[in-house]
Amino acid sequence: MKKASLITLVLILLMSCKKEVRVDFSEEIIETSDITEIAINYPKANGSEEITNRINKTLERHIIKQINVSENEDTKGNLYDAIAKFNYEYKSFKNDFPETALPWEAFIDGEVTYRSPEIISIAITSYLDTGGAHGNSSVRFFNFDPQTGEQLFINDLVSNVEGLSNVIKEKLVTAIKAEADDAMQDVFFGKDFQLPETLGYSDEGLIILYNPYEIATYTQGIVEFSIPFEAVNTFLKLN
């Protein structure tokens, strides 16, 4: 009877353990300078096809969206289709404004910033210059469940929004003072405090990053800082 009970206990433990799914990443590089200057470098997931397809499609859709300058916001097709579309838009622009001297530029760079059995965090940095006064830069974090490849959003990551917001708010004031001579009087353009659109993970802790369109003014640039996990773990569902 004791032996049977022991076997039953072992089976229960085995069934309750979360099977670790191995997801590896390789560097995917696409570069072209025939018509426009384009350089795309991002981590491509390899492993279980069902899981990695979800991760790769999410990243590719975002990259396609970043280099889509047409009025059509459709993100169907692959990266090469998007590059061809970007080049077509530039040629159309060049025909309308032949005095344009410099070609358009699109630079995308991605990296895996954190991995654990619970979460994979990837940062995608985008820079686009289509002939305006200056190019536009932005950074977006993508968090994935390594077991399924599903994208995780802030509601999936944060258990206590108010508690986390209070910690970030305090650190944000210090970060802005470090970046500017005077603290900004209206950080969120007249609105109440807001979490960034995406949160990132690294070995140093939780990455807080606000792009220029989320906070302050364009001259402020990207505001970024990290908070050690021990300061925010009680507010997070995953770490």
Side-chain angles (χ1 to χ4, degrees):
M1 180 67 70
K2 289 184 178 179
K3 185 176 181 180
S5 299
L6 180 60
I7 293 174
T8 302
L9 178 60
V10 170
L11 289 173
I12 292 173
L13 288 173
L14 288 174
M15 291 175 65
S16 62
C17 289
K18 200 173 186 179
K19 183 181 178 182
E20 184 175 355
V21 178
R22 182 69 181 177
V23 177
D24 294 314
F25 289 90
S26 60
E27 193 176 36
E28 185 75 5
I29 300 174
I30 303 174
E31 294 181 345
T32 175
S33 57
D34 294 338
I35 300 173
T36 59
E37 295 288 338
I38 297 176
I40 298 173
N41 182 354
Y42 71 101
K44 188 170 184 177
N46 306 293
S48 170
E49 184 175 356
E50 183 179 359
I51 295 171
T52 58
N53 277 349
R54 292 193 184 106
I55 296 174
N56 291 331
K57 285 181 179 179
T58 298
L59 297 179
E60 288 168 9
R61 278 197 301 267
H62 173 70
I63 295 171
I64 290 170
K65 184 177 180 180
Q66 293 307 295
I67 64 175
N68 181 12
V69 295
S70 70
E71 294 182 359
N72 184 354
E73 296 183 358
D74 185 12
T75 57
K76 293 180 181 178
N78 58 38
L79 292 176
Y80 293 96
D81 295 330
I83 290 172
K85 191 175 181 180
F86 185 79
N87 287 334
Y88 173 80
E89 293 295 335
Y90 171 71
K91 286 190 289 186
S92 297
F93 179 80
K94 184 77 171 174
N95 288 334
D96 293 337
F97 302 95
E99 69 278 6
T100 300
L102 298 176
W104 288 356
E105 298 177 330
F107 303 128
I108 309 290
D109 186 62
E111 64 171 326
V112 178
T113 61
Y114 187 78
R115 293 185 64 175
S116 78
E118 292 186 293
I119 188 170
I120 295 172
S121 191
I122 297 174
I124 301 291
T125 301
S126 306
Y127 174 81
L128 196 68
D129 188 346
T130 55
H134 50 69
N136 293 306
S137 298
S138 67
V139 181
R140 182 178 175 86
F141 290 98
F142 291 87
N143 301 296
F144 299 98
D145 182 339
Q147 309 298 319
T148 64
E150 294 289 348
Q151 186 177 354
L152 301 172
F153 298 94
I154 287 182
N155 288 340
D156 303 311
L157 305 174
V158 180
S159 59
N160 185 336
V161 173
E162 183 179 358
L164 181 63
S165 297
N166 289 335
V167 175
I168 294 176
K169 195 184 304 183
E170 181 180 347
K171 300 289 185 181
L172 179 61
V173 172
T174 304
I176 291 178
K177 285 182 178 179
E179 294 287 337
D181 294 333
D182 300 312
M184 295 252 176
Q185 296 298 313
D186 189 358
V187 176
F188 293 102
F189 311 102
K191 299 179 182 178
D192 293 334
F193 172 84
Q194 300 173 49
L195 290 173
E197 288 189 3
T198 58
L199 297 171
Y201 285 65
S202 73
D203 291 335
E204 286 70 42
L206 193 67
I207 303 174
I208 310 302
L209 187 146
Y210 290 93
N211 285 297
Y213 57 84
E214 293 182 77
I215 191 172
T217 65
Y218 188 87
T219 55
Q220 179 73 25
I222 292 174
V223 176
E224 178 182 6
F225 54 91
S226 295
I227 302 177
F229 284 126
E230 53 265 28
V232 293
N233 268 343
T234 55
F235 311 126
L236 300 177
K237 297 179 182 179
L238 304 175
N239 51 53

